[in-house]
């Protein structure tokens, strides 16, 4: 299984968001998609998921795909248990999704998608947002488990510490340009890539 973007460009209301983006993620790899607000990370994930048609280039996914765009994408008027049941999972509450706290909504969406194993390509947009420490640890452990079973994952996140815990490669998106970076390019002393390494690379890339 794998996901590939080849020379992909996308725009919004006549404005180019990014151009000629190349990306390849194979099974057992987790790629962290990092960039400032408004850089187009969500658009790129939606293009990869097939929700937005690219203006140019091609997207190919070899394997069943799962996309989670965050708690704001859940149907607020639907009961939590009924929504989870649509995916063959269970929720512990019958309350409408809109009446749940932000963190509870986020965890509901994540557990509904990540407790399933019927997908091999996962796309997640800011998955750690709104989670408390316990939820964050669960998410990190669960993403590692999916990586270990051979899934290919692309994760957009501002939480650099959490991203460094699970990602095996990184792509920086800013000013319409995507640059894929190997861990060996980020760590100055050859050690495991940490949040400080990602923050330094983020500053260097966005200041160009």
């Amino acid at each position: 299984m794998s996901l590939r973007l080849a020379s992909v460009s996308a725009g919004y209301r006549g404005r180019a968001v990014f151009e000629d983006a190349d990306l390849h993620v194979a099974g057992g790899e987790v790629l962290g998609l990092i960039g400032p607000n408004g850089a187009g990370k969500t658009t790129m994930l939606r293009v990869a998921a097939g929700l937005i048609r690219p203006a140019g280039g091609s997207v190919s996914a070899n394997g069943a795909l799962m996309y989670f765009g965050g708690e704001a994408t859940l149907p607020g008027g639907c009961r939590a248990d009924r929504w989870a049941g649509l995916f063959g999972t269970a929720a512990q509450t019958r309350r409408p999704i809109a009446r749940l706290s932000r963190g509870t909504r986020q965890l509901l969406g994540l557990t509904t998608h990540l407790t399933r194993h019927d997908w091999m390509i996962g796309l997640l947009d800011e998955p750690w947002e709104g989670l408390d420490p316990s939820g964050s640890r669960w998410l990190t452990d669960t993403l590692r488990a999916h990586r270990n079973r051979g899934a290919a994952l692309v994760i957009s996140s501002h939480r650099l510490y959490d991203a460094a815990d699970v990602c095996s490669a990184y792509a920086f998106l800013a000013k319409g340009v995507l640059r894929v970076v190997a861990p060996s390019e980020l760590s100055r002393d050859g050690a495991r890539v940490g949040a400080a390494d990602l923050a330094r690379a983020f500053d260097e890339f966005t200041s160009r």
Side-chain angles (χ1 to χ4, degrees), residues 35-88:
N37 290 330
K41 301 184 300 298
T42 295
T43 298
M44 182 166 289
L45 288 178
R46 290 178 177 173
V47 167
L51 301 175
I52 296 176
R53 181 178 297 178
S58 63
V59 178
S60 57
N62 178 19
L65 193 146
M66 178 276 293
Y67 168 73
F68 177 58
E71 54 85 18
T73 65
L74 302 185
C78 186
R79 268 179 25 193
D81 59 329
R82 289 181 174 173
W83 182 79
L86 294 174
F87 298 90

Coordinates of all heavy atoms in Angstrom, one line a residue, residues 35-88:
G35 N 3.5 23.1 8.6 CA 3.5 24.4 7.9 C 2.7 25.4 8.7 O 1.9 25.0 9.6
P36 N 2.8 26.7 8.4 CA 2.0 27.7 9.1 C 0.5 27.6 8.8 O 0.1 27.0 7.8 CB 2.6 29.0 8.6 CG 3.2 28.7 7.3 CD 3.6 27.2 7.4
N37 N -0.3 28.3 9.6 CA -1.7 28.4 9.3 C -1.9 29.0 7.9 O -1.3 30.0 7.6 CB -2.4 29.3 10.4 CG -2.5 28.6 11.7 OD1 -2.5 27.4 11.8 ND2 -2.5 29.4 12.8
G38 N -2.9 28.4 7.2 CA -3.2 29.0 5.9 C -2.2 28.5 4.8 O -2.4 29.0 3.6
A39 N -1.3 27.7 5.1 CA -0.3 27.2 4.1 C -0.9 26.3 3.1 O -0.4 26.1 2.0 CB 0.9 26.6 4.7
G40 N -2.0 25.6 3.4 CA -2.7 24.6 2.5 C -2.6 23.2 3.0 O -2.8 22.3 2.2
K41 N -2.2 22.9 4.2 CA -2.1 21.5 4.7 C -3.4 20.8 4.6 O -3.5 19.7 4.2 CB -1.6 21.5 6.1 CG -0.2 22.2 6.3 CD 0.3 22.1 7.7 CE -0.6 22.7 8.8 NZ -0.8 24.2 8.6
T42 N -4.5 21.4 5.1 CA -5.8 20.8 5.0 C -6.2 20.6 3.6 O -6.8 19.5 3.2 CB -6.9 21.7 5.7 OG1 -6.6 21.7 7.1 CG2 -8.3 21.1 5.5
T43 N -6.0 21.5 2.7 CA -6.3 21.3 1.3 C -5.5 20.2 0.7 O -6.1 19.3 0.0 CB -5.9 22.6 0.5 OG1 -6.7 23.7 1.0 CG2 -6.2 22.4 -1.0
M44 N -4.2 20.0 1.1 CA -3.4 18.9 0.5 C -4.0 17.6 1.0 O -4.1 16.6 0.2 CB -2.0 19.1 1.0 CG -1.1 18.0 0.4 SD 0.7 18.4 0.6 CE 0.9 19.7 -0.7
L45 N -4.4 17.5 2.3 CA -5.0 16.2 2.8 C -6.3 15.9 2.1 O -6.5 14.8 1.7 CB -5.2 16.3 4.3 CG -3.9 16.3 5.2 CD1 -4.3 16.4 6.6 CD2 -3.1 15.0 5.0
R46 N -7.1 16.9 1.8 CA -8.4 16.7 1.1 C -8.2 16.3 -0.3 O -8.9 15.5 -0.9 CB -9.2 17.9 1.3 CG -9.7 18.2 2.7 CD -10.6 19.4 2.8 NE -11.1 19.6 4.2 CZ -11.8 20.6 4.6 NH1 -12.0 21.7 3.8 NH2 -12.2 20.7 5.8
V47 N -7.1 16.9 -1.0 CA -6.8 16.4 -2.3 C -6.4 15.0 -2.3 O -6.8 14.2 -3.1 CB -5.7 17.3 -2.9 CG1 -5.1 16.7 -4.2 CG2 -6.2 18.7 -3.2
A48 N -5.5 14.6 -1.3 CA -5.1 13.2 -1.2 C -6.2 12.3 -0.9 O -6.2 11.1 -1.4 CB -4.0 13.1 -0.1
A49 N -7.2 12.8 -0.2 CA -8.4 11.9 0.1 C -9.4 11.8 -1.0 O -10.3 11.0 -0.9 CB -9.0 12.5 1.4
G50 N -9.2 12.6 -2.0 CA -10.1 12.6 -3.1 C -11.3 13.5 -2.9 O -12.3 13.4 -3.7
L51 N -11.3 14.4 -1.9 CA -12.4 15.3 -1.6 C -12.3 16.6 -2.4 O -13.4 17.2 -2.6 CB -12.5 15.6 -0.1 CG -12.6 14.4 0.8 CD1 -12.5 14.8 2.3 CD2 -13.9 13.7 0.5
I52 N -11.1 16.9 -2.9 CA -10.9 18.1 -3.7 C -10.2 17.6 -5.0 O -9.2 16.9 -4.9 CB -10.1 19.2 -3.0 CG1 -10.9 19.7 -1.8 CG2 -9.8 20.3 -3.9 CD1 -10.1 20.7 -1.0
R53 N -10.7 18.1 -6.1 CA -10.0 17.7 -7.4 C -8.8 18.6 -7.6 O -8.9 19.9 -7.5 CB -10.9 17.9 -8.6 CG -10.3 17.5 -9.9 CD -11.3 17.6 -11.0 NE -12.4 16.6 -10.8 CZ -13.5 16.6 -11.6 NH1 -13.6 17.4 -12.7 NH2 -14.4 15.7 -11.4
P54 N -7.6 18.1 -7.8 CA -6.4 18.9 -8.0 C -6.5 19.7 -9.3 O -7.1 19.3 -10.3 CB -5.3 17.9 -8.1 CG -5.9 16.6 -8.5 CD -7.3 16.6 -7.9
A55 N -5.9 20.9 -9.3 CA -5.9 21.7 -10.6 C -4.9 21.1 -11.6 O -5.0 21.4 -12.8 CB -5.5 23.1 -10.2
G56 N -3.9 20.3 -11.1 CA -3.0 19.7 -12.0 C -2.3 18.5 -11.2 O -2.3 18.4 -10.0
G57 N -1.7 17.6 -12.0 CA -1.0 16.5 -11.4 C -1.9 15.3 -11.1 O -3.1 15.3 -11.6
S58 N -1.4 14.3 -10.4 CA -2.2 13.1 -10.2 C -2.0 12.6 -8.8 O -1.0 12.9 -8.1 CB -1.8 12.0 -11.2 OG -0.5 11.7 -11.0
V59 N -3.0 12.0 -8.3 CA -3.0 11.3 -6.9 C -3.3 9.9 -7.1 O -4.3 9.5 -7.8 CB -4.0 12.0 -6.0 CG1 -4.0 11.3 -4.6 CG2 -3.8 13.5 -5.8
S60 N -2.5 9.0 -6.5 CA -2.8 7.6 -6.6 C -2.7 7.0 -5.2 O -1.7 7.2 -4.5 CB -1.8 6.9 -7.6 OG -0.5 7.1 -7.2
A61 N -3.7 6.2 -4.8 CA -3.7 5.5 -3.5 C -3.8 4.0 -3.8 O -4.8 3.6 -4.3 CB -4.8 6.0 -2.7
N62 N -2.8 3.3 -3.3 CA -2.9 1.8 -3.4 C -3.2 1.2 -2.1 O -2.4 0.9 -1.3 CB -1.5 1.3 -3.9 CG -1.4 -0.2 -4.0 OD1 -2.5 -0.8 -4.1 ND2 -0.2 -0.7 -4.0
G63 N -4.5 1.2 -1.8 CA -5.0 0.7 -0.5 C -6.2 1.4 -0.1 O -6.4 2.6 -0.5
A64 N -7.0 0.8 0.8 CA -8.2 1.5 1.4 C -7.8 2.7 2.2 O -6.8 2.7 2.9 CB -9.0 0.5 2.2
L65 N -8.5 3.8 2.0 CA -8.1 5.1 2.6 C -9.1 5.6 3.7 O -10.3 5.4 3.5 CB -8.0 6.1 1.4 CG -7.4 7.5 1.7 CD1 -6.6 8.0 0.5 CD2 -8.4 8.5 2.2
M66 N -8.5 6.2 4.7 CA -9.3 6.7 5.8 C -8.8 8.2 6.0 O -7.7 8.5 6.0 CB -9.1 6.0 7.1 CG -9.8 6.5 8.3 SD -8.9 7.9 9.2 CE -7.5 7.0 9.8
Y67 N -9.8 9.1 6.1 CA -9.5 10.5 6.3 C -10.3 11.0 7.5 O -11.5 10.8 7.6 CB -9.9 11.3 5.1 CG -9.9 12.8 5.3 CD1 -8.7 13.5 5.4 CD2 -11.1 13.6 5.4 CE1 -8.7 14.9 5.7 CE2 -11.1 14.9 5.6 CZ -9.9 15.6 5.7 OH -9.9 17.0 5.9
F68 N -9.6 11.7 8.4 CA -10.3 12.4 9.5 C -9.9 13.8 9.6 O -8.7 14.1 9.8 CB -10.1 11.7 10.9 CG -10.7 12.4 12.0 CD1 -12.1 12.5 12.1 CD2 -10.0 12.8 13.1 CE1 -12.7 13.2 13.1 CE2 -10.6 13.5 14.2 CZ -11.9 13.6 14.2
G69 N -10.9 14.7 9.4 CA -10.5 16.1 9.3 C -10.7 16.9 10.6 O -10.7 18.1 10.6
G70 N -10.9 16.2 11.8 CA -11.0 16.9 13.0 C -12.5 17.0 13.5 O -13.4 16.7 12.8
E71 N -12.6 17.4 14.8 CA -13.9 17.3 15.4 C -15.0 18.3 14.8 O -16.2 18.0 14.8 CB -13.8 17.7 16.9 CG -13.1 19.0 17.2 CD -14.0 20.2 17.2 OE1 -15.2 20.0 17.3 OE2 -13.4 21.3 17.1
A72 N -14.5 19.3 14.1 CA -15.4 20.3 13.5 C -16.1 19.7 12.3 O -17.1 20.2 11.8 CB -14.7 21.5 13.1
T73 N -15.6 18.5 11.8 CA -16.2 17.9 10.6 C -17.3 16.9 11.0 O -18.0 16.3 10.1 CB -15.2 17.2 9.8 OG1 -14.6 16.1 10.5 CG2 -14.1 18.1 9.4
L74 N -17.5 16.6 12.3 CA -18.5 15.7 12.8 C -19.9 16.3 12.7 O -20.0 17.6 12.9 CB -18.2 15.2 14.2 CG -16.9 14.6 14.5 CD1 -16.9 14.1 15.9 CD2 -16.6 13.4 13.5
P75 N -20.9 15.6 12.4 CA -22.3 16.1 12.3 C -22.9 16.4 13.6 O -23.3 15.5 14.4 CB -23.0 15.0 11.6 CG -22.3 13.7 11.9 CD -20.9 14.1 12.1
G76 N -22.9 17.7 14.0 CA -23.3 18.1 15.3 C -24.7 17.7 15.8 O -24.9 17.4 16.9
G77 N -25.6 17.6 14.8 CA -27.0 17.2 15.2 C -27.2 15.7 15.4 O -28.3 15.3 15.8
C78 N -26.2 14.9 15.1 CA -26.4 13.4 15.2 C -26.0 13.0 16.5 O -25.0 13.5 17.2 CB -25.5 12.8 14.1 SG -25.7 11.0 14.0
R79 N -26.6 12.0 17.1 CA -26.2 11.4 18.3 C -24.9 10.7 18.2 O -24.6 10.0 17.2 CB -27.3 10.4 18.8 CG -28.3 11.0 19.7 CD -29.4 10.0 20.2 NE -29.0 8.6 20.2 CZ -29.9 7.7 20.3 NH1 -31.2 8.0 20.4 NH2 -29.6 6.4 20.3
A80 N -24.1 10.7 19.2 CA -22.7 10.2 19.1 C -22.8 8.7 18.9 O -22.0 8.2 18.0 CB -22.0 10.5 20.4
D81 N -23.7 8.0 19.5 CA -23.7 6.5 19.4 C -24.2 6.1 18.0 O -23.7 5.2 17.4 CB -24.6 5.9 20.4 CG -26.0 6.4 20.4 OD1 -26.2 7.5 20.1 OD2 -26.9 5.6 20.8
R82 N -25.1 6.9 17.4 CA -25.6 6.6 16.1 C -24.6 6.8 15.0 O -24.4 6.1 14.1 CB -26.9 7.4 15.8 CG -28.1 6.9 16.6 CD -29.3 7.7 16.2 NE -30.5 7.1 16.9 CZ -31.7 7.7 16.9 NH1 -31.9 8.9 16.2 NH2 -32.7 7.1 17.5
W83 N -23.8 7.9 15.2 CA -22.8 8.3 14.2 C -21.7 7.2 14.3 O -21.2 6.7 13.2 CB -22.2 9.6 14.5 CG -21.1 10.0 13.5 CD1 -21.3 10.5 12.3 CD2 -19.7 9.9 13.7 NE1 -20.1 10.8 11.7 CE2 -19.1 10.4 12.5 CE3 -18.9 9.5 14.8 CZ2 -17.7 10.4 12.4 CZ3 -17.5 9.6 14.6 CH2 -16.9 10.0 13.4
A84 N -21.2 6.8 15.5 CA -20.2 5.8 15.6 C -20.7 4.5 15.0 O -19.9 3.7 14.4 CB -19.8 5.6 17.0
G85 N -22.0 4.2 15.2 CA -22.5 2.9 14.7 C -22.5 2.8 13.2 O -22.4 1.7 12.6
L86 N -22.5 4.0 12.5 CA -22.4 4.0 11.0 C -21.0 3.4 10.6 O -20.9 2.9 9.4 CB -22.5 5.4 10.5 CG -23.9 6.1 10.7 CD1 -23.8 7.5 10.2 CD2 -25.0 5.3 9.9
F87 N -20.0 3.5 11.4 CA -18.7 2.9 11.1 C -18.4 1.6 11.7 O -17.3 1.1 11.7 CB -17.6 3.9 11.5 CG -17.7 5.3 10.8 CD1 -18.5 6.3 11.3 CD2 -17.1 5.5 9.6 CE1 -18.6 7.5 10.7 CE2 -17.2 6.7 8.9 CZ -17.9 7.7 9.5
G88 N -19.5 1.0 12.4 CA -19.3 -0.3 13.0 C -18.6 -0.2 14.4 O -18.1 -1.2 14.8

